[in-house]
Amino acid sequence: PPIPGLPGVPPPPPLPGMPGVPPPPPIPGLPGVPPPPPLPGMPGVPPPPPIPGLPGVPPPPPFPGMPGVPPPPPIPGLQGPPGAPAPPPPPGFIGMAGPAVAALPTMQRKPSKKMKKFNWSKLPANRVRSPQGQTIWDRVQQVQAQKHQGTTIDHEAVEVLFSQKQIEKKDKKKDEKKKDSGVVDLLDPKTSLNVNIFLKQFRRPNEEVVDLIKKCDTKQLDIDQCKVLSTLLPDVDNMQPLLAYKGDFKRLGTAEQFFMLLWNVDSFRQRIECMRLQHEFVQGCNYLQPSLTLVKDAAEEIEGNEDLCEILSIVLVTGNFINMGGYAGNAAGFKLDSLLKMDDTRANKPRMTLTHYVVQVAQDAYPHVLEIEQKLPHVEKAARLSLDTLQSDLNDLKKSLSKSGESLKQASKDLAEQMKGFMEASELQLIDLEKLMEDVQKLGCRLATFCCEDPSTFKLETLLQLISKFVVRLRAAKQVRCCPGEPE
């Protein structure tokens, strides 16, 4: 160290290519020794770091035309000199690189109302600033700082537009009035709601609705109402709180009163089932009677149709000529399902098949046979029906009627008396339907033999469908005028 009051000996100049000897730290209270000037073309020696608690040594003035030496980085925990820009972060630190930009403006005012939410996807701060260059949000901040600095939003308008609707508090006085209404609800809300919805369609008191059930009035209660009502009937669990209620009957809710009135009706479940049976039986008979009659008429039309036989004769002669000399030639007849294969035999003329040729022959020699469609008026509709389905429907009617007859033996006398007339008439209708079904089945067996089919596998609906399709193809071929010509 130098003697107090005398300057210290200057350090020798550094050797070429070697860093200079750093100056000794200054004595407390005295300025430090200035660093020697740098050699030409060599960077200057950086100043030593400042002693904790003391300001750092100011950098030497820059040479004319040269930029100044940047200040050293601050010691961790200490801030740099005032006014100095922040040093760039070390490489590799993501989120700290990039130019320094103004922070996003913050809203000083908070909404006075609870606002709705704008469900955007917020970006974290380390993704807004990219080390590769400026991001769009850096530009947005620059725009806000340069162009939109004085722009403000109408906070009141935003609150009016995007605030949550305030739920009005229920008026306690109204609630008290409801509580004071005195209605006693003993059923669960779902059951009560369903029963009330059902009762509203009648627009009459509960006593009258219950009276309709008691009388089994099928004119006032249709089948849909009976089906719905059968799902709403009270059971023991529903009735326990109602039967235990000892208060005023008029204070009970509408559904509760209906259940109490219905519970006091003898055999109320059977009454509703009997009404449902009456509706379903009438509907079943109204469907089965005309359907079976339609099938019977169509089968009789096929059995006695002479035009069909003439058309089959033309097909037989033509087919034997085509198949002459082969196994299929010289046939005395063919299965009727072969009629639908005639379109597969194509002529050497565009858009002409064996069906077209048969129609052409008939037009020339036997034009009356092409009016076959008018002589089979019921076949097309009957072909849409299934005898198996009709038989199943008839069996279901028999079972339901038999089941109701057994249940009525244990029902109340007034219900048995009410259903007596219906049961007797229904049994007579069933006898007629069974006889009609038997006639159709016999006719089917006769047609199986008539058409040379196996009676054990023959189905009448199959024959009806076949003849219906064949008639449609004859009609289509008749509309196309095909004249014989030389093959192409």
Side-chain angles (χ1 to χ4, degrees):
I3 299 173
L6 295 177
V9 180
L15 298 176
M18 297 295 291
V21 180
I27 299 175
L30 295 178
V33 179
L39 296 177
M42 298 295 290
V45 180
I51 299 175
L54 294 179
V57 179
F63 291 98
M66 298 293 291
V69 180
I75 298 177
L78 297 179
Q79 297 182 350
F93 283 80
I94 299 176
M96 299 180 63
V101 293
L104 285 170
T106 58
M107 290 286 185
Q108 298 297 329
R109 174 179 170 179
K110 293 184 179 180
S112 60
K113 300 178 181 179
K114 192 172 182 180
M115 306 296 290
K116 298 179 180 178
K117 299 299 181 184
F118 174 25
N119 294 320
W120 59 14
S121 299
K122 181 180 177 181
L123 292 173
N126 61 343
R127 289 185 60 187
V128 171
R129 296 174 179 82
S130 171
Q132 284 75 18
Q134 192 181 46
T135 66
I136 188 173
W137 296 109
D138 292 328
R139 294 186 182 180
V140 170
Q141 293 181 31
Q142 292 174 4
V143 170
Q144 289 176 341
Q146 297 172 7
K147 299 181 181 181
H148 297 175
Q149 190 171 8
T151 304
T152 58
I153 63 172
D154 189 344
H155 298 89
E156 294 181 357
V158 175
E159 287 185 0
V160 171
L161 293 172
F162 301 105
S163 61
Q164 294 184 7
K165 292 183 178 181
Q166 300 294 327
I167 300 176
E168 296 182 359
K169 295 183 179 179
K170 294 183 179 180
D171 192 351
K172 294 183 178 180
K173 294 182 179 179
K174 293 183 179 179
D175 292 342
E176 290 176 359
K177 289 182 180 179
K178 291 182 180 179
K179 292 180 181 179
D180 294 338
S181 61
V183 177
V184 179
D185 297 323
L186 298 178
L187 296 175
D188 64 271
K190 184 178 180 180
T191 302
S192 178
L193 177 63
N194 292 334
V195 174
N196 284 319
I197 292 175
F198 171 76
L199 294 174
K200 281 183 179 179
Q201 63 185 308
F202 294 100
R203 297 180 180 178
R204 59 178 69 191
N206 287 342
E207 290 79 5
E208 294 185 14
V209 178
V210 173
D211 190 55
L212 295 176
I213 298 173
K214 186 176 181 179
K215 294 178 180 179
C216 294
D217 193 342
T218 55
K219 295 182 180 179
Q220 299 294 330
L221 294 171
D222 58 32
I223 185 171
D224 293 329
Q225 292 171 336
C226 292
K227 288 180 178 180
V228 173
L229 183 57
S230 63
T231 63
L232 300 175
L233 296 180
D235 53 23
V236 178
D237 294 334
N238 297 135
M239 294 304 300
Q240 280 183 353
L242 293 175
L243 296 175
Y245 176 72
K246 303 300 181 182
D248 187 2
F249 177 80
K250 295 182 179 180
R251 293 187 62 190
L252 290 173
T254 303
E256 285 79 1
Q257 292 184 19
F258 177 74
F259 272 15
M260 288 290 288
L261 294 171
L262 189 61
W263 191 262
N264 293 325
V265 177
D266 292 336
S267 307
F268 66 90
R269 293 181 184 276
Q270 287 179 308
R271 294 176 191 272
I272 296 172
E273 287 300 319
C274 287
M275 287 190 291
R276 183 174 176 176
L277 169 66
Q278 292 181 59
H279 285 298
E280 291 178 347
F281 188 86
V282 172
Q283 286 185 352
C285 289
N286 291 340
Y287 173 72
L288 287 173
Q289 181 75 32
S291 297
L292 290 172
T293 303
L294 180 65
V295 173
K296 181 181 178 183
D297 292 342
E300 290 175 346
E301 290 169 1
I302 294 174
E303 186 181 28
N305 194 283
E306 293 294 333
D307 292 341
L308 178 62
C309 294
E310 291 191 49
I311 294 175
L312 293 178
S313 175
I314 299 174
V315 175
L316 181 62
V317 172
T318 307
N320 273 329
F321 179 76
I322 294 174
N323 295 329
M324 185 177 293
Y327 170 78
N330 196 27
F334 55 86
K335 296 188 68 174
L336 292 186
D337 58 1
S338 303
L339 294 173
L340 301 182
K341 300 177 182 179
M342 291 171 59
D343 282 350
D344 297 337
T345 304
R346 298 184 175 275
N348 296 325
K349 191 172 183 179
R351 297 181 299 277
M352 185 175 184
T353 65
L354 182 58
T355 305
H356 294 94
Y357 178 76
V358 170
V359 170
Q360 180 178 302
V361 172
Q363 284 179 328
D364 295 339
Y366 318 100
H368 62 280
V369 302
L370 296 180
E371 305 299 328
I372 184 175
E373 187 174 3
Q374 299 178 4
K375 299 179 182 180
L376 299 173
H378 300 98
V379 171
E380 185 176 356
K381 291 183 178 180
R384 304 170 187 168
L385 300 174
S386 169
L387 274 181
D388 292 339
T389 303
L390 295 177
Q391 182 65 63
S392 176
D393 293 343
L394 180 58
N395 293 338
D396 290 341
L397 284 183
K398 291 171 61 178
K399 290 179 181 179
S400 61
L401 194 65
S402 176
K403 183 179 179 181
S404 296
E406 292 296 327
S407 64
L408 285 174
K409 294 179 181 179
Q410 302 175 355
S412 58
K413 293 183 179 180
D414 63 327
L415 177 59
E417 189 66 26
Q418 290 174 0
M419 294 295 296
K420 181 178 179 181
F422 168 77
M423 296 298 293
E424 292 176 352
S426 299
E427 290 176 358
L428 293 177
Q429 283 184 294
L430 271 181
I431 293 174
D432 293 339
L433 288 175
E434 288 177 338
K435 185 176 184 306
L436 183 56
M437 176 62 78
E438 185 179 353
D439 292 342
V440 171
Q441 291 174 345
K442 288 181 179 179
L443 186 56
C445 293
R446 196 162 67 240
L447 275 175
T449 303
F450 179 70
C451 297
C452 302
E453 299 286 345
D454 184 2
S456 61
T457 59
F458 176 79
K459 287 190 176 183
L460 180 56
E461 58 261 33
T462 303
L463 175 64
L464 295 174
Q465 293 169 5
L466 188 153
I467 299 299
S468 176
K469 291 179 181 179
F470 179 63
V471 170
V472 171
R473 294 186 182 185
L474 290 178
R475 183 203 311 159
K478 183 180 177 182
Q479 294 173 354
V480 179
R481 300 230 175 232
C482 295
C483 299
E486 295 298 329
E488 295 181 356

